[in-house]
Amino acid sequence: MNWWKKLKKNPLARLGAILLLVFYLAAIAAEFVAPYDAYVPQPNGALLPPTQIYWRNQTTGAFIGPHVYPTTQGAIDLETGDRELLVDFEQPSRLGLFVKGPAYKLFGFIPGDIHLFGTRGPAPLNLLGTDDQARDQFSRLVLGARISLFIGLVGISISFPLGTIVGGISGYFGGAIDSILMRLVEVLMTIPSIYLLVTLTLILPAGISSAERFILIVVITSFVSWSGLARVIRGQVLSIKEREFVQSAKAMGAKPLYIILRHVIPQTATYTIIAATLSIPGFIVAESVLSLIGLGIQQPDPSWGNMLSLSTNASILVLQPWLVWPPALLIILTVLAFNLLGDGLRDALDPRSVER
């Protein structure tokens, strides 16, 4: 367990792991963490900025703790383009933890109506404002994390076992099997991934949901993206198969498939774990890019990518920046966290580092 001790001593890897743990726990329990239903609009609440939190009653001046007031949009100033905010200071709503809110089913089957935080009163708390459909931006961001974060896990769960097995078989047997498999790998590596993604998106059936659509794209592209891993695993297996423990297994009559799965591939586990950790951000970015250009997750289903697609509208960037920077920041932090964790794993699991 020396590698685990080394990993814990790496402050950057620890920071990346903590960030990812928080993000994934929030995504798993999204209905509980989100204060409102991500699909239901609020009355007269379109394009509201982040809710201002007060500590003193704005009518009496008395200290009552953190609270908010009902806020709606007023008329637009034709000269400046600014929209007036109408705040009802007669109805303070206190903030609290574990408050009752819209009913939901956690994990799809556990009914509940308690949310991590919210207000005890008529005024909603929109931490990150609302979108053009008057839906709470924070709730959509949390729910959208499920697609954006778990896309990478789905992708590597398909591509990495396939690449490891093909690379192991190719490197162990060599000869004609190696030549055929490596020619297939080289053909797959020549396919530009972004063009393939766009083509697959355009030919998929129109009747499927956006989530099913993107999962199907990830599954298909995962069967292509294993080629680079297969080449690296092949090179490692070519050297591993000449070692004493593999030769001993052959002398004892072990079958080739048993030797590959039991002795050879486990020796490549270090590289596979590190490569998998560093590959997940690629799937997250792919989802973001496709949704950004309108070919991935479609409204009303939220994902960080399609929430970021509003950045193509210059007026949104100027007048409602709260709609753009939260998903952009989360994508950056997630990619950075995976890279920090991957670098920490590489340093901790590097055999040369262990020897030193």
Side-chain angles (χ1 to χ4, degrees):
M1 296 295 288
N2 288 335
W3 68 270
W4 175 247
K5 294 179 181 178
K6 290 186 63 177
L7 186 63
K8 290 196 297 184
K9 291 180 180 178
N10 188 325
L12 293 179
R14 195 163 61 242
L15 174 62
I18 292 173
L19 280 176
L20 292 175
L21 180 64
V22 171
F23 290 168
Y24 275 97
L25 287 178
I28 292 171
E31 291 86 358
F32 167 71
V33 175
Y36 306 106
D37 191 319
Y39 296 93
V40 177
Q42 300 175 4
N44 300 319
L47 296 176
L48 290 175
T51 304
Q52 182 175 351
I53 298 175
Y54 300 86
W55 293 83
R56 291 184 176 275
N57 190 303
Q58 298 301 293
T59 302
T60 64
F63 180 85
I64 60 174
H67 63 283
V68 297
Y69 295 95
T71 304
T72 56
Q73 292 280 22
I76 299 177
D77 189 326
L78 299 180
E79 295 183 0
T80 63
D82 294 334
R83 187 186 290 267
E84 181 186 7
L85 290 180
L86 304 178
V87 183
D88 184 0
F89 289 114
E90 299 297 327
Q91 300 187 68
S93 299
R94 294 189 178 185
L95 306 184
L97 295 174
F98 307 108
V99 300
K100 195 169 184 179
Y104 58 83
K105 287 189 176 181
L106 190 62
F107 311 126
F109 61 90
I110 303 178
D113 58 2
I114 301 299
H115 297 259
L116 178 62
F117 66 92
T119 63
R120 294 183 172 92
L125 171 63
N126 305 121
L127 276 181
L128 300 175
T130 61
D131 63 8
D132 57 343
Q133 301 296 319
R135 298 169 298 198
D136 181 55
Q137 185 79 346
F138 179 81
S139 299
R140 292 181 61 77
L141 202 65
V142 173
L143 191 63
R146 279 190 176 166
I147 292 176
S148 297
L149 291 177
F150 286 95
I151 280 295
L153 300 183
V154 173
I156 65 168
S157 67
I158 297 172
S159 62
F160 272 70
L162 187 58
T164 302
I165 293 173
V166 171
I169 292 174
S170 178
Y172 183 83
F173 289 104
I177 294 177
D178 181 34
S179 298
I180 294 172
L181 290 178
M182 285 302 102
R183 298 299 80 75
L184 173 62
V185 165
E186 290 167 1
V187 170
L188 293 177
M189 292 182 70
T190 62
I191 301 175
S193 58
I194 187 63
Y195 296 114
L196 176 64
L197 288 170
V198 172
T199 303
L200 289 172
T201 305
L202 295 176
I203 65 175
L204 288 176
I208 63 177
S209 69
S210 58
E212 293 171 339
R213 184 185 208 185
F214 199 82
I215 289 295
L216 188 56
I217 293 173
V218 171
V219 169
I220 295 173
T221 52
S222 296
F223 281 101
V224 178
S225 61
W226 55 265
S227 54
L229 175 66
R231 284 181 65 90
V232 177
I233 296 298
R234 170 186 174 271
Q236 293 184 349
V237 171
L238 285 174
S239 63
I240 292 172
K241 73 176 184 179
E242 303 300 331
R243 295 184 182 177
E244 293 79 3
F245 62 89
V246 176
Q247 297 301 323
S248 299
K250 286 182 180 179
M252 294 176 65
K255 295 182 179 180
L257 184 59
Y258 174 83
I259 295 175
I260 293 172
L261 296 178
R262 180 66 179 82
H263 297 291
V264 177
I265 289 181
Q267 296 298 313
T268 67
T270 296
Y271 172 82
T272 303
I273 292 172
I274 297 170
T277 305
L278 295 173
S279 296
I280 292 176
F283 288 94
I284 295 175
V285 172
E287 184 275 326
S288 302
V289 171
L290 281 180
S291 297
L292 178 64
I293 62 179
L295 298 177
I297 304 300
Q298 304 296 316
Q299 295 285 357
D301 296 321
S303 80
W304 293 350
N306 67 14
M307 293 176 73
L308 191 59
S309 64
L310 294 173
S311 62
T312 57
N313 188 331
S315 64
I316 292 291
L317 289 174
V318 176
L319 300 176
Q320 291 91 25
W322 63 84
L323 297 178
V324 176
W325 65 260
L329 181 61
L330 283 179
I331 292 172
I332 293 172
L333 287 177
T334 302
V335 172
L336 179 62
F338 271 112
N339 287 332
L340 292 176
L341 180 59
D343 288 342
L345 284 172
R346 181 182 58 199
D347 295 339
L349 295 173
D350 185 1
R352 290 170 295 181
S353 177
V354 172
E355 290 174 4
R356 288 196 296 269

